[in-house]
Amino acid sequence: MSDPFASTLALLLPLFLVLAYVPQVYNMTFKIVQEKESRVKETMRIMGLTALPYWMSWFALYTLLNTVMTTLAWLVLLFKVV
């Protein structure tokens, strides 16, 4: 016998996991565009900041946020689904 809940969960879980990351991508895009409009990057460049530390700071921030989000999703799946 097939469990209808398990088959439905198998179909919908990937969708929910993708939807969990949509707000982060939207937020990151919004903040980069907002920073571009406020010309913070150009001001930092005038003060001597190169492109590498600027983009590495964005990379580090969103790597940390995605790691936390992925770890929480993994814990929920580990203890609630199995």
Side-chain angles (χ1 to χ4, degrees):
M1 256 197 302
S2 177
D3 184 15
F5 178 74
S7 62
T8 305
L9 186 64
L11 289 173
L12 292 178
L13 190 61
L15 174 67
F16 289 139
L17 291 177
V18 168
L19 288 177
Y21 287 99
V22 168
Q24 276 190 333
V25 172
Y26 171 78
N27 193 20
M28 178 180 62
T29 307
F30 178 76
K31 285 184 177 183
I32 289 175
V33 169
Q34 185 181 28
E35 187 171 326
K36 180 90 172 162
E37 289 176 353
S38 67
R39 300 189 185 270
V40 171
K41 182 179 175 185
E42 286 80 15
T43 305
M44 289 182 177
R45 225 183 210 162
I46 291 170
M47 293 188 292
L49 181 73
T50 61
L52 182 65
Y54 173 78
W55 288 112
M56 287 300 289
S57 67
W58 279 105
F59 178 76
L61 173 68
Y62 282 100
T63 299
L64 178 69
L65 290 174
N66 283 330
T67 302
V68 169
M69 183 86 153
T70 303
T71 303
L72 290 174
W74 174 74
L75 287 171
V76 166
L77 290 175
L78 182 68
F79 293 113
K80 298 292 182 184
V81 176
V82 175

